[in-house]
Amino acid sequence: MDMAVYDLADKEVTASLNLCVIGGSNSVMRHGYVPPLVAQIENVMGLQVNLKNLAIGGTFSQFGLWQLLAKKSHRDADVIIVEYGLDDSELATSATVRQWAKAYEGLIRRIRHEAPQAQIICPLLFSRHRAVASGLSSLSSGVVMINKRYEVATIDVPAEIAAKAPPDYWSVARDWYADGSHYARPFQVMIAELIVAEIRSGAGRSHRRNVPPISHDHFADVRSAAEDRILQTLIPEGIPTETFRNSVISETAYVITPGNMLQLRVTGEIVALIIVSTRNDGVVAYRQDETVTYAGLYRKAFADPKFRFLMNTFLPEQYLRTPPLVSESPSIVRIEVLDAASVAALQPRSVVSRSTAMIPPDTDHAMSLALVDIIYTGELSSI
């Protein structure tokens, strides 16, 4: 199907549109922009939508890379929406932004290579705090630069929303958002309208044969231990598996408990552990050669009883006090779940957690780590 420009005057348009969505919670929530986007494509453009929504809340571009490897739903897409700017903003620190840039460029470069026919569209969303703050975000600027290099259509959502009304008609803090990270329902509809306008114009298609990378060590060629069929060889013998399933996901994880250490030989770099957050999460000791860090993984969202589990990513650079190790010679990474007594003995200041996680509020439960996959560069094996 020729996707260059859609013409509603063409009465013979009966085709379908393959839509793939990769991103965070605004892209998957019931009252997000995707339902009105699908409705507008079908009702206004006259195209039947075949939707593959890979979005998962609270994840990063590294998770999106894993989705490309594990699901491959983007390969036959006509339109691909990439919406990670808001969730990725957590990585906009000096310790993590370089790794983020390698991951985001890798995500976009891989999509462009594996789905050259697709329009790629990026609605650039911001949290409430970022939307009302003054100043330039290095991460958002990086999104725009990388998108420009790979001819991804970028929608400056705050600017486009503001242009729809007279100055000061809306209060950004009061009106635009349902909470700190999610746009209110009327504005989700506006986001959908903005995306439809880009689709109809033919924006987001590539016209270049060769695109020089911005970061030569980008993660476009990242590998998956599960896809490479080596994950099982990395797991200690006797580790049970558990399948986590709801209306959005179905993933099987190895449930690693105290006393069972992952011992990995890495030539290259561990990009991310793909994990399932559960109420049994605790503290993980992550040892990279002689450096050790303690990561508190218990998600604060579990204060809400509706959450049984959540997909998650463990990015070494968020926890290590030194930059991630990239080595041409083998290095050793050891990953261990601490037992309750070891967690209780830790000084709280020695535990590093994301803003969305913490040390478990109690240690009266069995501790574990539910590991789905490892994505990496170079070579990976067990010791």
Side-chain angles (χ1 to χ4, degrees), residues 166-178:
D168 302 321
Y169 181 81
W170 290 309
S171 164
V172 175
R174 186 183 65 248
D175 298 328
W176 285 20
Y177 291 89

Side-chain angles (χ1 to χ4, degrees), residues 86 126-133 172-174 177-182:
L86 193 155
F126 295 86
S127 67
R128 175 189 283 159
H129 169 75
R130 186 68 246 172
V132 300
V172 175
R174 186 183 65 248
Y177 291 89
D179 56 41
S181 299
H182 302 105

Side-chain angles (χ1 to χ4, degrees), residues 131-201:
V132 300
S134 174
L136 187 67
S137 162
S138 60
L139 189 142
S140 298
S141 302
V143 169
V144 174
M145 174 63 193
I146 293 168
N147 287 354
K148 180 71 173 178
R149 176 66 59 92
Y150 293 92
E151 298 182 274
V152 174
T154 306
I155 302 172
D156 184 345
V157 169
E160 296 294 340
I161 289 177
K164 290 180 176 292
D168 302 321
Y169 181 81
W170 290 309
S171 164
V172 175
R174 186 183 65 248
D175 298 328
W176 285 20
Y177 291 89
D179 56 41
S181 299
H182 302 105
Y183 286 77
R185 193 170 183 178
F187 296 90
Q188 299 279 7
V189 175
M190 293 182 199
I191 293 167
E193 292 172 347
L194 295 169
I195 295 171
V196 168
E198 294 296 298
I199 295 173
R200 294 184 66 186
S201 73

Side-chain angles (χ1 to χ4, degrees), residues 89-154:
S89 64
E90 183 180 328
L91 306 178
T93 66
S94 58
T96 56
V97 73
R98 174 167 168 73
Q99 292 294 102
W100 165 81
K102 291 158 63 176
Y104 186 74
E105 181 172 9
L107 175 69
I108 296 300
R109 190 177 181 91
R110 191 172 191 118
I111 292 173
R112 187 58 86 195
H113 174 72
E114 294 182 339
Q117 77 288 344
Q119 291 175 261
I120 309 176
I121 299 172
C122 171
L124 189 51
L125 310 184
F126 295 86
S127 67
R128 175 189 283 159
H129 169 75
R130 186 68 246 172
V132 300
S134 174
L136 187 67
S137 162
S138 60
L139 189 142
S140 298
S141 302
V143 169
V144 174
M145 174 63 193
I146 293 168
N147 287 354
K148 180 71 173 178
R149 176 66 59 92
Y150 293 92
E151 298 182 274
V152 174
T154 306

Side-chain angles (χ1 to χ4, degrees), residues 3 6 8 13 15-21 33-51 79 81 121 192-193 195-197 199-200:
M3 299 281 294
Y6 297 98
L8 292 179
V13 172
S16 62
L17 182 144
N18 295 329
L19 174 64
C20 180
V21 180
Y33 69 85
V34 172
L37 172 62
V38 171
Q40 289 181 45
I41 293 172
E42 293 188 337
N43 297 333
V44 177
M45 298 176 60
L47 299 171
Q48 179 181 347
V49 175
N50 300 317
L51 174 64
V79 176
I81 309 299
I121 299 172
E193 292 172 347
I195 295 171
V196 168
I199 295 173
R200 294 184 66 186

